[in-house]
C-alpha cells in the first residue's frame, strides 16, 4: 500500500485512499465536510513543546525527526495512534493530511518515511 502526504487545503481525490488528518489542531478555515476525512489521529501529532521548538526550521529537521521518533516510541497515546496508522496502511492506500505550509519539513513527512 502507498502512503502520501497532502495539505488538507488541496482537493481530495479517489487516489487518496483513506484520508487521515495527523495534526493536533483542527486546520483553520476548513469545515469537517470540506475536509473529507476518514480519520483524525490528533494524538499522533508532535507534542506542543516539540512542535514549537521545531517551528518548521529546515536546520532543525534532523534533530526534530529524532526527537519525534522518540516521542512516538515513548508516549502511550502517540504509540497507540501510530499502531492504528500502521494497521491502516496494511489494508489500503493512505493520505496523511496536514495544514502546514511547509511541505517538505514537517511531521507528516517523518511519519511517511517511518511507514
Amino acid at each position: 500500500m502507498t502512503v502520501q502526504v497532502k495539505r488538507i487545503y488541496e482537493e481530495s481525490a479517489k487516489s487518496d485512499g483513506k484520508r487521515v488528518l495527523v495534526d493536533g489542531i483542527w486546520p483553520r478555515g476548513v469545515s469537517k465536510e470540506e475536509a473529507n476525512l476518514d480519520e483524525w489521529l490528533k494524538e499522533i501529532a508532535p507534542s506542543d513543546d516539540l512542535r514549537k521548538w521545531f517551528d518548521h526550521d529546515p536546520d532543525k529537521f534532523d534533530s526534530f525527526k529524532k526527537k519525534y521518533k522518540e516521542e512516538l516510541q515513548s508516549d502511550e497515546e502517540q504509540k497507540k495512534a501510530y499502531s492504528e496508522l500502521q494497521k491502516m496502511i496494511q489494508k489500503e492506500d493512505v493520505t496523511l493530511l496536514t495544514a502546514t505550509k511547509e511541505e517538505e519539513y514537517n511531521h507528516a513527512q517523518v511519519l511517511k518515511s517511518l511507514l
Side-chain angles (χ1 to χ4, degrees):
M1 300 300 148
T2 63
V3 178
Q4 64 178 332
V5 174
K6 276 176 99 169
R7 291 192 72 226
I8 195 158
Y9 303 104
E10 295 177 46
E11 290 287 320
S12 62
K14 287 185 179 188
S15 61
D16 288 349
K18 191 165 198 143
R19 291 172 52 87
V20 182
L21 178 62
V22 293
D23 287 352
I25 301 167
W26 188 262
R28 290 184 191 150
V30 177
S31 71
K32 298 216 184 219
E33 294 79 33
E34 290 170 325
N36 193 21
L37 290 183
D38 295 300
E39 295 276 342
W40 181 17
L41 289 179
K42 60 184 164 190
E43 300 83 10
I44 205 165
S47 66
D48 286 343
D49 288 343
L50 181 57
R51 181 179 53 80
K52 289 174 185 174
W53 169 82
F54 173 48
D55 197 32
H56 300 288
D57 179 348
D59 293 333
K60 293 181 180 176
F61 191 59
D62 287 336
S63 294
F64 169 76
K65 284 193 293 191
K66 183 179 181 215
K67 291 176 183 194
Y68 183 42
K69 287 177 192 178
E70 288 170 3
E71 279 191 358
L72 290 171
Q73 294 170 348
S74 62
D75 181 271
E76 288 305 315
E77 285 189 351
Q78 285 179 323
K79 206 186 310 189
K80 183 179 174 187
Y82 182 71
S83 178
E84 261 185 73
L85 197 52
Q86 286 177 309
K87 289 175 187 169
M88 284 180 211
I89 66 163
Q90 291 174 1
K91 297 176 186 171
E92 59 192 312
D93 295 339
V94 172
T95 297
L96 304 176
L97 299 168
T98 183
T100 183
K101 292 178 184 173
E102 174 49 67
E103 295 186 41
E104 188 175 346
Y105 302 106
N106 64 62
H107 73 286
Q109 293 293 351
V110 176
L111 287 170
K112 179 183 175 186
S113 70
L114 293 173
L115 294 166

